[in-house]
Amino acid sequence: MSYNLGVDVSRETFKRLERYADLVRKWNPRVNLVAKSTLEEIWSRHFLDSAQLFQLAPDNTKTWADFGAGGGFPGLVIAILAHELRPDMSVMLAESDARKSAFLRNVVRETSINTKVVCERVEEIPPLCADVISARALANLSKLFSLSHDHLATNGVMLFPKGKNWQSELVEAQSKWRFNHQVVKSVTSDQSVILRISGVRRA
């Protein structure tokens, strides 16, 4: 069975994603990776929602860091897509919860992808100089800037999926930070967007 991810991938990549979905269902009762109510819609609510970020990354992206990786959305989906479509791109998943990190490492092993899982708080990680930084449901925009701006390469971009309160988050962040932003409509929800951010500096 194949699903719409908004990007063309091989049968082998779909098998990796299907294995990942199986592991989410297996681990979720113990580790609470995603809301139980979303498991039936895992491909649209989590896989497609994550995959849409892949196409927003610059073509020359070599390093991608996903903060607060949790159950692996979007970072692990990005890593699985990159294994086929951008094999020279490295993906790092930062997750401070030991049980969630163990889950992420399990998926990395089971899907045979080359991805680093770091079980540390973002504040404790040495500067990464990442071309792309993503985070889903980790913090508000101002906090994400505080966490991320020392880890971003000079010409790097931040990709942050945001829900219905994204406009108020944007206004609040603009009072503390200077940055360029592009608002990209989410393909999975009329109320959601992806904020594509660059040039972040303190106001």
Side-chain angles (χ1 to χ4, degrees):
M1 184 183 296
S2 64
Y3 302 84
N4 173 34
L5 288 174
V7 59
D8 291 329
V9 293
S10 66
R11 176 73 186 141
E12 187 175 3
T13 294
F14 270 115
K15 283 187 174 180
R16 285 191 169 95
L17 292 167
E18 286 169 345
R19 181 61 185 141
Y20 176 16
D22 289 342
L23 289 166
V24 171
R25 295 184 188 101
K26 179 181 176 181
W27 282 62
N28 204 60
R30 289 178 289 140
V31 187
N32 191 30
L33 302 165
V34 299
K36 184 181 178 182
S37 60
T38 67
L39 282 174
E40 290 297 316
E41 306 168 279
I42 193 168
W43 282 89
S44 59
R45 287 290 296 274
H46 300 298
F47 284 83
L48 176 58
D49 194 56
S50 298
Q52 64 181 326
L53 272 66
F54 189 81
Q55 299 179 83
L56 298 178
D59 291 339
N60 60 350
T61 299
K62 298 297 182 191
T63 54
W64 186 311
D66 187 51
F67 291 161
F73 306 108
L76 204 45
V77 174
I78 298 299
I80 291 171
L81 295 177
H83 184 81
E84 175 188 349
L85 301 175
R86 293 192 184 184
D88 59 341
M89 185 176 88
S90 66
V91 181
M92 188 274 278
L93 310 177
E95 173 51 56
S96 61
D97 184 290
R99 294 188 306 162
K100 290 179 180 177
S101 289
F103 167 76
L104 295 171
R105 291 191 177 105
N106 184 241
V107 178
V108 169
R109 282 194 304 271
E110 292 276 335
T111 56
S112 302
I113 58 172
N114 183 23
T115 299
K116 185 177 182 181
V117 178
V118 176
C119 186
E120 288 186 56
R121 292 173 58 83
V122 174
E123 297 91 331
E124 297 164 358
I125 299 173
L128 297 169
C129 201
D131 296 315
V132 174
I133 292 175
S134 60
R136 183 194 195 207
L138 176 63
N140 67 30
L141 202 54
S142 291
K143 177 67 172 174
L144 288 173
F145 288 169
S146 295
L147 291 172
S148 303
H149 83 287
D150 286 340
H151 291 290
L152 194 67
T154 303
N155 295 314
V157 300
M158 301 175 182
L159 297 174
F160 298 138
K162 286 292 173 183
K164 61 183 179 181
N165 297 322
W166 67 269
Q167 288 170 302
S168 59
E169 285 192 39
L170 195 63
V171 170
E172 197 255 341
Q174 286 170 328
S175 69
K176 302 174 183 176
W177 299 84
R178 296 289 174 264
F179 54 93
N180 304 314
H181 73 278
Q182 176 186 1
V183 179
V184 181
K185 193 177 184 313
S186 172
V187 300
T188 59
S189 169
D190 290 338
Q191 293 185 310
S192 300
V193 301
I194 298 109
L195 298 178
R196 190 179 192 273
I197 308 282
S198 61
V200 177
R201 60 199 186 281
R202 293 189 184 276

